[in-house]
Amino acid sequence: MTSFKPIVLCISGFDPCGGAGILADCKTIEQLGGYCMGVVSANTIQTESAFMANCWTDSHFLLRQLDAIVGRYPISACKIGIIQSVELLTLIAERLAEQDCNIPIVWDPVLSASAGFALHQQSRLRATDILPKITCITPNLPEAQALFGNTSYADISVSTGCAVLLKGGHSNASEVTDTLYFGNEVHRFTQPRSKFQKHGTGCVVSSAIAVSLALGQPLPNACKQAQQYVSGYINSHNSLLGFHSNYISRNFNYD
Ligand code: PLP
């Protein structure tokens, strides 16, 4: 396929209200210059403020969906969102590496929705086993704690080769600082804290990183741009939903 936009494959859940999951990934990726393809890891019943149910996609069906896409299209980057198990994540990473071992993989390790729904019963997915196959993992503070306990994120990055972007949105600071542990390097990115909150910010950040990697940006630049992008998205409307384009809202009221 020549003269096509770089393809970013998202393996994410379906959120019908479009704030999180594959719809959020798609909006982000198309806005930032990529072409989004998707494999649905779960179907959910939710709105921006309430999470009612999650139904994981049958893993054989998911892998067949993946095989059909990977077998036909050159994938420039992959973003993985909610996923049933580390075992499935491993199979996905292996399938991608069979096509091209250089496909960057960004994993947003979602353990529960901010509306309070736990997606995984065990607090600690055995994440370290999979990390050598992942380019960048993007936990928020509670996720990082649950996954890695007190292990230093710099050590994790050096020992596994997987960069850790620790998102600072859950801190109490007046500014939001995301910290990227990238081998021996540490990069910090800061934005003013918005007075608004959003549903699905983790999805937006990870897919923004994936599309920048697909476009050839180095990881620190990709993380910086992702923080700027999500910041614009958070500020785009005062509800938990927001806009990805420069479209000015007509004061729709979702409260
Ligand atoms: N629903 C889906 C399908 C998701 O992928 C995610 C996060 O990745 C969420 C819900 C949670 O969104 P939030 O916790 O930002 O409300």
Side-chain angles (χ1 to χ4, degrees), residues 159-172:
S159 63
T160 64
C162 174
V164 179
L165 179 71
L166 181 66
K167 295 174 294 186
H170 283 71
S171 83
N172 295 322

Side-chain angles (χ1 to χ4, degrees), residues 16-206:
C17 78
I22 211 148
L23 292 176
D25 296 337
C26 187
K27 292 177 221 183
T28 304
I29 287 161
E30 299 277 332
Q31 192 67 20
L32 290 173
Y35 184 97
C36 180
M37 292 190 181
V39 164
V40 178
S41 60
N43 198 358
T44 72
I45 305 175
Q46 63 176 310
T47 66
E48 78 280 19
S49 55
F51 198 119
M52 284 77 104
N54 178 46
C55 177
W56 295 112
T57 304
D58 172 76
S59 55
H60 296 288
F61 192 86
L62 185 155
L63 290 170
R64 281 184 62 199
Q65 208 174 35
L66 177 69
D67 286 344
I69 294 294
V70 168
R72 170 137 180 89
Y73 306 103
I75 307 299
S76 296
C78 178
K79 172 250 155 97
I80 299 174
I82 64 171
I83 198 81
Q84 186 168 12
S85 66
V86 170
E87 290 70 28
L88 181 56
L89 189 54
T90 306
L91 291 174
I92 291 168
E94 286 170 358
R95 296 283 222 276
L96 290 168
E98 276 167 24
Q99 192 213 32
D100 176 354
C101 58
N102 292 318
I103 297 173
I105 301 178
V106 181
W107 178 32
D108 180 19
V110 189
L111 299 180
S112 60
S114 55
F117 190 95
L119 292 158
H120 293 284
Q121 296 314 320
Q122 81 259 49
S123 62
R124 203 167 289 200
L125 288 178
R126 283 181 300 101
T128 35
D129 297 349
I130 178 74
L131 293 189
K133 296 183 167 54
I134 305 287
T135 310
C136 181
I137 184 171
T138 62
N140 58 30
L141 288 168
E143 288 160 353
Q145 271 294 316
L147 291 170
F148 306 129
N150 291 326
T151 318
S152 123
Y153 306 125
D155 287 353
I156 289 168
S157 178
V158 170
S159 63
T160 64
C162 174
V164 179
L165 179 71
L166 181 66
K167 295 174 294 186
H170 283 71
S171 83
N172 295 322
S174 58
E175 293 181 318
V176 175
T177 299
D178 294 346
T179 308
L180 175 67
Y181 300 89
F182 183 34
N184 288 315
E185 300 171 23
V186 179
H187 300 259
R188 290 197 169 76
F189 314 107
T190 298
Q191 285 283 320
R193 185 175 292 278
S194 173
K195 57 182 192 288
F196 305 138
Q197 296 205 319
K198 284 286 166 295
H199 161 59
T201 50
C203 308
V204 173
V205 169
S206 50

Side-chain angles (χ1 to χ4, degrees), residues 165 178 180 187-191 205 208-209 212 217-231:
L165 179 71
D178 294 346
L180 175 67
H187 300 259
R188 290 197 169 76
F189 314 107
T190 298
Q191 285 283 320
V205 169
I209 296 170
S212 289
Q217 291 290 320
L219 183 62
N221 295 23
C223 293
K224 184 172 183 190
Q225 187 188 25
Q227 194 198 44
Q228 289 168 348
Y229 184 85
V230 78
S231 187

